[in-house]
Amino acid sequence: MTELAWIFECLTSISYLKRAHAYKDAQEKGEEINAGTFNYPMLMAADILIYDADIVPVGKDQKQHLEIARDTADAFNRAYGETFKLPEPHILSDVETIPGIDGRKMSKSYDNVIPLFGSDDELRDAVMSIQTDSTPLGEPLDPDSDTVYYLHKLVSSKEEIEDLESKYREGSIGYGDSKKMLALKLLEYFAPLRERYNELLKDRAYVSDVLTLGAKKASEQAEQKMTEVRRAIGVTE
């Protein structure tokens, strides 16, 4: 992966990499930007392109990484012949960006996630800590600007959401009760996945075997692609 990233870096200008969101964000914050941050889009491009994907599921905030990967693949193909596919993004509009408990996009780096595979108490505590406005109990709430309501929409039926929206606009429900309902809904919705997760935790050998097999398959495919790349750029016959 790092070998391919370096090859891509040799095809990419500094001015192009300066367009990357991560670089711009760090620059705006006045942070010292290291080479790893600056070159990260090329590592992402290598990670995407080395497996010849046709479609890549991404969130809205990750779309640029795929656009950079496509540009990089196109630059390589024009320079050395058709070698890489140009993958298409697959973004689900209703979950393209999910808000975290602090209102920003949900991200581990922001520490604002809901631990869906944590304990029941950890999940409830996270939900109850979701930031809301100061609208007093009994007053109408705006569902369009509320993180709790948005998260309800991801795990509730159409009928449940319509009922909740009515209660919001009527002022017949407060944020506290809405959060309690959300916590229960999340526990119910993810119960099968949480059960399977806990089963896997008890069978570490199985998990290790699956990961080992997956790594072997990925390594074989990556090496095959790198053989093509080395031949294309002329370092091997």
Side-chain angles (χ1 to χ4, degrees), residues 56-83:
V56 180
V58 291
K60 183 179 180 180
D61 59 322
Q62 295 294 313
K63 185 180 179 182
Q64 189 193 52
H65 282 305
L66 193 58
E67 292 170 345
I68 291 173
R70 286 173 56 86
D71 288 346
T72 304
D74 183 57
F76 187 99
N77 291 345
R78 284 187 283 107
Y80 299 109
E82 291 296 320
T83 306

Side-chain angles (χ1 to χ4, degrees), residues 44 52 64 75 80 82 84 90 95 98 117 136 170 190 196 224:
M44 286 292 292
D52 278 337
Q64 189 193 52
Y80 299 109
E82 291 296 320
F84 292 103
H90 180 58
V95 292
I98 297 177
F117 296 101
E170 295 167 357
F190 288 100
R196 180 58 176 155
Q224 181 178 347

Side-chain angles (χ1 to χ4, degrees), residues 169-217:
R169 298 194 186 283
E170 295 167 357
S172 59
I173 190 173
Y175 289 124
D177 285 338
S178 183
K179 290 178 181 180
K180 291 175 183 177
M181 289 170 55
L182 175 61
L184 288 173
K185 194 66 183 178
L186 289 173
L187 289 171
E188 174 190 336
Y189 187 88
F190 288 100
L193 296 177
R194 286 162 58 86
E195 181 179 356
R196 180 58 176 155
Y197 174 80
N198 288 324
E199 288 175 357
L200 291 173
L201 285 180
K202 298 174 183 176
D203 194 352
R204 302 272 181 166
Y206 170 75
V207 174
S208 179
D209 288 344
V210 171
L211 293 175
T212 299
L213 178 60
K216 183 176 183 293
K217 289 182 178 179

